[in-house]
Amino acid sequence: MKYVSTRGSAPALDFEGVTLAGLAQDGGLYLPAEWPQFDAAEIAAMAGLPYAELATRVMLPFVGNSLSEDELGDLCAQAYLRFAHDAVTPLVQMNERQWLLELFHGPTLAFKDVALQLLGLLFEKFLARSGKRLTIVGATSGDTGSAAIDAVAGREGVEIFMLHPKGRVSDVQRRQMTTVRSPNVHNIAIDGSFDDAQAMVKRMFVDDALTGDLHIGAVNSINWARLMAQVVYYFAAGLQLGAPHRAAAYAVPTGNFGDVFAGYVAQKMGLPIEQLIVATNVNDILHRALSSGDYSAGTVTPTATPSMDIQVSSNFERLLFDCGGRDASALAEQMRSFDANRTMQLTNAQRQSAADIFTSSRADADDMARALRWAHDGAGQTLDPHTAIGLHAALTSELSPSVPIVTLATAHPAKFPEAVERATGMRPALPARVGDLFAREEYFTELPGEYETVRDFVRSNAAR
Ligand SMILES: *Cc1c(COP(=O)(O)O)cnc(C)c1O
């Protein structure tokens, strides 16, 4: 399997190469050169497999010669061992039509663990083989940081610098990052928004002052291996709801467009999907882009769903590339113009192709609170606020009532106890597996929102 850049002028890489790479050298994102496909009989044969075996089956076509089936199987078995539920991503019924796919049973209580636990193992495997070192730089609006740190802390050959916007992640989220004490973990709180932090990270990938003697890698969802691992749970849920014979719809709380793009990949691979509902909060650039073609970044409004407080969604570029007929030079031009003007129009081809499978929805704070109460009072489920944004989209869907709708439950409610308590009157407790989070000491460095200062901190603290 070969991987190509959305902007067409970076070298094609194999799976090992894209796993260790961040952004492509031309500023684009890597995608498989073609989508592997399963026929109906192959999908039917996946029903009932344990999660780690299903994961091996779904991901094998993507790894090419980089791993044998046994090697991939062993890594999957190890990655999903640390989940607190045997099903790894259990599917829970709320009423005759509405379902919840619980993705928060991993060590840091958000869906990011599903992919990052595997990614940490992939890094270690590939680095041991080549004798290289990898310096991860990442930006987090909350959940990526803790999941990535948990996945790489103490692993050989890899080191992580994680930027978070100071004061804009929840206490639980921050403590899950800053209480990890390991020589290969560096937490940095910057003055600014998540988008500012992400822009700095993007710049570091193409800054010779860093890339000259450090091999910079990514754990954000620009890393292909993360999206690949997320494709698996769409299959897991779809199979339980009758795939390959019956299609379901998925409502996905969306920020960087990684999780919902994995659903798009699942459909390309042959999983029947009726619709992917992109659920946004009031930071609704994706809702505007999908409903009217207007992709214009505004300023970020902080909300109770910080992991979705995003204006620029990196992975949307992957969709625009695929839906625009994979014309890399046109896409490169479109993205250059967006980077310069912070605004662009989708082409008709991009809009029509996206509309075949995507729809979108926007929820404000009241919509979110109402969905939290609906689940709590009507279905006996305590959700997190991000999941509630997804549920709002599912409850207001105009799809035929015969189509089951799966809301992706992206975080455990105890990560965001204030918002949950405000809406439902009940304060969710942290599960015992996170331990004495509030008693442990925090370790992090505060830096101004200035690119050079942050880059120089990475340069002088990275191991070589
Ligand atoms: C990361 C995250 C999201 C957004 O996912 P994307 O892949 O960035 O679209 C939604 N909810 C929670 C809880 C998250 O941690």
Side-chain angles (χ1 to χ4, degrees), residues 110-112 143 221 253-259 307-308 384 386 410-411:
F111 82 90
K112 309 286 200 296
D143 296 326
S221 52
T254 297
N256 236 337
F257 207 75
D259 209 5
S307 297
M308 300 163 68
D384 102 284
H386 301 78
T410 49

Side-chain angles (χ1 to χ4, degrees), residues 108-120:
T108 72
L109 314 180
F111 82 90
K112 309 286 200 296
D113 288 323
V114 179
L116 283 163
Q117 287 292 315
L118 180 69
L119 188 62

Side-chain angles (χ1 to χ4, degrees), residues 112-350:
K112 309 286 200 296
D113 288 323
V114 179
L116 283 163
Q117 287 292 315
L118 180 69
L119 188 62
L121 296 170
L122 288 169
F123 284 153
E124 196 170 57
K125 176 117 197 154
F126 292 147
L127 292 168
R129 211 187 250 179
S130 64
K132 287 186 201 145
R133 284 196 63 85
L134 186 65
T135 305
I136 300 290
V137 289
T140 185
S141 53
D143 296 326
T144 297
S146 51
I149 286 168
D150 186 280
V152 308
R155 294 212 176 280
E156 287 295 321
V158 54
E159 173 169 45
I160 186 163
F161 290 84
M162 185 55 65
L163 277 54
H164 70 266
K166 191 166 86 189
R168 301 207 194 172
V169 300
S170 79
D171 288 347
V172 173
Q173 288 178 317
R174 190 190 66 252
R175 286 183 161 274
Q176 283 183 313
M177 298 191 277
T178 58
T179 59
V180 175
R181 186 168 205 188
S182 173
N184 71 338
V185 171
H186 309 269
N187 277 291
I188 304 172
I190 64 144
D191 282 322
S193 68
F194 167 72
D195 285 328
D196 298 332
Q198 180 159 261
M200 288 189 200
V201 168
K202 280 192 158 186
R203 244 175 110 177
M204 287 190 220
F205 280 101
V206 292
D207 185 338
D208 297 340
L210 272 187
T211 57
D213 70 337
L214 290 176
H215 181 170
I216 308 283
V219 286
N220 285 63
S221 52
I222 59 174
N223 188 304
W224 165 258
R226 269 190 64 180
L227 302 192
M228 173 190 76
Q230 291 170 200
V231 174
V232 176
Y233 48 70
Y234 285 90
F235 274 87
L239 286 160
Q240 287 175 73
L241 292 174
H245 311 294
R246 185 162 79 135
Y250 298 81
V252 187
T254 297
N256 236 337
F257 207 75
D259 209 5
V260 76
F261 189 77
Y264 175 79
V265 175
Q267 197 220 26
K268 291 281 167 193
M269 296 176 80
L271 183 72
I273 293 184
E274 187 68 29
Q275 195 169 69
L276 293 167
I277 308 172
V278 175
T280 71
N281 63 24
V282 295
N283 297 294
D284 62 351
I285 181 171
L286 289 167
H287 175 55
R288 283 182 280 118
L290 290 166
S291 55
S292 74
D294 167 33
Y295 191 75
S296 305
T299 50
V300 176
T301 306
T303 71
T305 46
S307 297
M308 300 163 68
D309 289 349
I310 280 172
Q311 281 295 335
V312 180
S313 288
S314 314
N315 285 293
F316 201 54
E317 176 168 343
R318 287 187 158 114
L319 180 72
L320 294 178
F321 175 67
D322 207 50
C323 283
R326 294 197 163 217
D327 180 344
S329 57
L331 199 265
E333 193 45 52
Q334 200 178 15
M335 294 311 300
R336 255 194 303 277
S337 148
F338 176 75
D339 288 341
N341 308 315
R342 306 271 291 168
T343 178
M344 72 183 179
Q345 275 302 118
L346 271 54
T347 65
N348 283 339
Q350 286 167 334

Side-chain angles (χ1 to χ4, degrees), residues 34-77:
E34 70 268 343
W35 300 118
Q37 281 182 6
F38 297 118
D39 63 26
E42 287 170 316
I43 293 174
M46 295 175 187
L49 288 178
Y51 191 88
E53 285 177 38
L54 176 67
T56 309
R57 201 77 68 96
V58 171
M59 294 191 287
L60 191 62
F62 291 114
V63 307
N65 298 325
S66 296
L67 293 170
S68 69
E69 183 167 356
D70 283 350
E71 285 174 317
L72 178 63
D74 287 347
L75 294 179
C76 288

